[in-house]
Amino acid sequence: SQTIHQWPATLVQPVGSPLSLECTVEGTSNPNLYWYRQAAGRGLQLLFYSVGIGQISSEVPQNLSASRPQDRQFILSSKKLLLSDSGFYLCAWSGTGGKNIQYFGAGTRLSVL
Amino acid sequence: AQKITQTQPGMFVQEKEAVTLDCTYDTSDPSYGLFWYKQPSSGEMIFLIYQGSYDQQNATEGRYSLNFQKARKSANLVISASQLGDSAMYFCAMRDLSGGYQKVTFGTGTKLQVIP
């Protein structure tokens, strides 16, 4: 069966520091991969998605970037965090055909202080 | 225009009763998919149920059913026999051609609280 791992679960970082959140998927190949951000009490905002290695689509101009160095690995990064980068970050994967149901990781709560 | 609208910010339901969470959507694409997710306080998004635009019957998954009314563009989630563990945020979502079928647009969510 397919599983998705996302870490760390919680992160507190100072303003101006770098960020690296990692997401890996097991049990499937060539998945679509997604990064979302959720502000407190709000819905999900799609940040990036990827349909293959090295293929990244950015949805919202921001202080963040994403990379997909391997088929089942998706990384969210920042060179210098801003206060506004605080939030709950969720990684998800889906198949490439049919229903395209997205399955989510457990999320990372990022606090930028 | 909002592609997914959830008009109920919060709902209460008595334990063991049924509850309906509303969702309306907006698309001109004849082929689309509709999803419901549950987000408990832990934060993880849990997939509940899927309805395809061409599906003839309403989707069901255990105590969850999706009341799909295509002409009204509504996709309400019905939870039967509510349990305390059903207390959570619930999000309606849709994928369609404008999103390349790969992207999903989420509504703002409904917070459901089950009362003992």
Side-chain angles (χ1 to χ4, degrees):
Chain A
S1 63
Q2 301 89 356
T3 55
I4 179 168
H5 303 280
Q6 185 181 344
W7 67 93
T10 305
L11 191 60
V12 180
Q13 292 285 95
V15 170
S17 64
L19 172 74
S20 180
L21 302 181
E22 190 165 342
C23 174
T24 59
V25 180
E26 296 178 358
T28 187
S29 60
N30 196 31
N32 291 336
L33 297 172
Y34 307 84
W35 278 111
Y36 290 88
R37 177 167 58 200
Q38 185 179 29
R42 305 286 295 277
L44 272 68
Q45 179 187 36
L46 179 63
L47 301 176
F48 302 95
Y49 73 97
S50 171
V51 300
I53 296 174
Q55 300 179 61
I56 308 294
S57 296
S58 175
E59 292 298 298
V60 181
Q62 60 217 322
N63 186 42
L64 302 169
S65 62
S67 62
R68 184 171 177 173
Q70 301 180 43
D71 181 45
R72 290 169 288 176
Q73 183 185 29
F74 205 23
I75 298 172
L76 183 69
S77 304
S78 174
K79 292 182 179 179
K80 289 185 178 181
L81 283 168
L82 306 172
L83 288 174
S84 57
D85 292 324
S86 294
F88 188 55
Y89 290 83
L90 286 156
C91 180
W93 75 273
S94 74
T96 56
K99 299 176 181 179
N100 274 9
I101 296 169
Q102 293 188 13
Y103 298 95
F104 286 79
T108 296
R109 295 193 185 278
L110 172 65
S111 296
V112 182
L113 305 177
Chain B
Q2 290 282 347
K3 295 191 73 172
I4 293 287
T5 302
Q6 294 181 255
T7 58
Q8 306 154 312
M11 291 276 288
F12 290 91
V13 64
Q14 202 75 36
E15 192 178 8
K16 300 181 184 178
E17 298 292 313
V19 63
T20 298
L21 307 183
D22 295 342
C23 173
T24 57
Y25 59 91
D26 182 24
T27 182
S28 57
D29 183 8
S31 178
Y32 51 90
L34 297 158
F35 311 80
W36 277 93
Y37 286 85
K38 172 185 179 181
Q39 188 179 39
S41 57
S42 61
E44 184 177 359
M45 293 286 284
I46 302 167
F47 167 72
L48 295 178
I49 197 166
Y50 169 84
Q51 180 83 43
S53 59
Y54 293 121
D55 293 342
Q56 295 297 313
Q57 295 187 332
N58 287 342
T60 60
E61 291 286 348
R63 295 187 298 110
Y64 304 108
S65 60
L66 199 152
N67 184 1
F68 182 44
Q69 298 187 40
K70 198 169 183 177
R72 297 179 60 184
K73 293 188 176 179
S74 75
N76 298 339
L77 178 70
V78 180
I79 305 175
S80 63
S82 296
Q83 302 172 356
L84 295 178
D86 293 334
S87 293
M89 284 289 291
Y90 288 82
F91 291 93
C92 180
M94 178 181 70
R95 63 161 178 79
D96 65 1
L97 178 61
S98 69
Y101 293 118
Q102 294 147 348
K103 295 187 293 182
V104 171
T105 301
F106 286 82
T108 53
T110 295
K111 184 175 183 178
L112 177 66
Q113 296 185 64
V114 180
I115 305 167

